[in-house]
Amino acid sequence: MKHVLFATSNRHKLQEAEIVFSEYGLNVEQWDVKRLEVQSESLEEIARISLAWLMREANPRCPFFVEDAGLFIEALNGFPGPYSSYVFSKIGNEGVLKLMDGVDNRRAVFVSVVAFTDGKEMLVFKGQASGFISHAVKGERGFGFDPIFIPEEGDGRSFAELDVREKNKLSHRARALRKLAEWLTSSKII
Ligand code: IMP
């Protein structure tokens, strides 16, 4: 079976990737390594720099990939976007709901960027999920902003009310990972 490493310490992201990859007969293995997290306005730049840093500093087994995601809230001009993990750790879902207090435009987009390398070249794949910020925290599953994000293409449940397979039908990360999986199955790299 074709085998790829996913440099992440997030077991939820790993589980989402395992399910997507299994649809393609691919195997993903966790590489729980400390990554360089630079601040940048661009998720793609963050992912590219993180991948390049691991290639240089961490003596990786290839092929491997990293993934960076962010929640872009329209009424907040795209905030927290690339600063999502910092914002989540400081103010959490309740803090974001407070920022959205009295705001009618609840539109938001989750964006995921996957940066992959076979040890020679770097490839980047993106996925998006459009939706809305809920008025209250809903659901127990998933991680991060899942309890306040209602995907537009869903049935009104938040990401945290979906099981992983349901979330994978709609999520930014599954969409980016499927592009990588499709590329891997059609290339001779692994
Ligand atoms: P990361 O830097 O890619 O791990 O993601 C930044 C932050 O965005 C994380 O700390 C999470 O709070 C949030 N995030 C990323 N992806 C998701 C998701 O699929 N669901 C909910 N929150 C997410």
Side-chain angles (χ1 to χ4, degrees):
M1 192 187 250
K2 292 184 173 188
H3 206 79
V4 193
L5 288 186
F6 182 6
T8 183
S9 52
N10 184 323
R11 66 183 175 83
H12 298 280
K13 290 188 176 188
L14 179 72
Q15 198 191 6
E16 291 174 14
E18 281 168 348
I19 291 174
V20 169
F21 273 50
S22 70
E23 293 162 11
Y24 292 84
L26 299 168
N27 192 12
V28 63
E29 187 189 324
Q30 183 178 21
W31 180 22
D32 193 355
V33 64
K34 185 133 187 54
R35 291 173 46 198
L36 179 70
E37 295 266 354
V38 294
Q39 291 289 17
S40 160
E41 284 278 317
S42 151
L43 282 181
E44 177 168 344
E45 187 178 45
I46 296 170
R48 282 182 180 277
I49 291 173
S50 175
L51 189 91
W53 184 83
L54 284 174
M55 286 175 80
R56 234 182 17 252
E57 305 290 334
N59 197 20
R61 268 198 292 140
C62 290
F64 78 96
F65 65 92
V66 301
E67 188 264 357
D68 277 290
L71 177 65
F72 296 75
I73 301 176
E74 199 172 278
L76 305 180
N77 295 323
F79 182 84
Y83 308 106
S84 290
S85 84
Y86 181 74
V87 169
F88 183 77
S89 70
K90 294 294 174 196
I91 66 170
N93 286 320
E94 296 293 349
V96 173
L97 290 182
K98 238 179 243 161
L99 290 177
M100 294 295 286
D101 224 7
V103 177
D104 288 334
N105 176 9
R106 318 287 300 183
R107 296 199 69 85
V109 184
F110 258 126
V111 179
S112 164
V113 176
V114 167
F116 166 89
T117 186
D118 58 356
K120 294 182 217 89
E121 52 174 343
M122 187 187 295
L123 291 164
V124 171
F125 302 90
K126 288 183 200 169
Q128 289 202 0
S130 298
F132 304 93
I133 302 300
S134 61
H135 288 275
V137 168
K138 290 202 304 170
E140 307 285 323
R141 293 166 160 145
F143 70 101
F145 298 118
D146 279 345
I148 60 165
F149 184 79
I150 312 218
E152 183 172 61
E153 295 161 71
D155 56 11
R157 285 180 293 164
S158 74
F159 267 173
E161 293 177 298
L162 306 180
D163 66 32
V164 186
R165 280 172 205 279
E166 290 173 320
K167 181 179 172 187
N168 271 358
K169 288 196 184 123
L170 308 169
S171 89
H172 50 309
R173 182 167 305 100
R175 287 175 174 153
L177 289 169
R178 259 180 220 117
K179 289 181 188 169
L180 169 59
E182 266 159 35
W183 184 82
L184 287 170
T185 45
S186 64
S187 76
K188 302 256 179 296
I189 295 264
I190 58 170

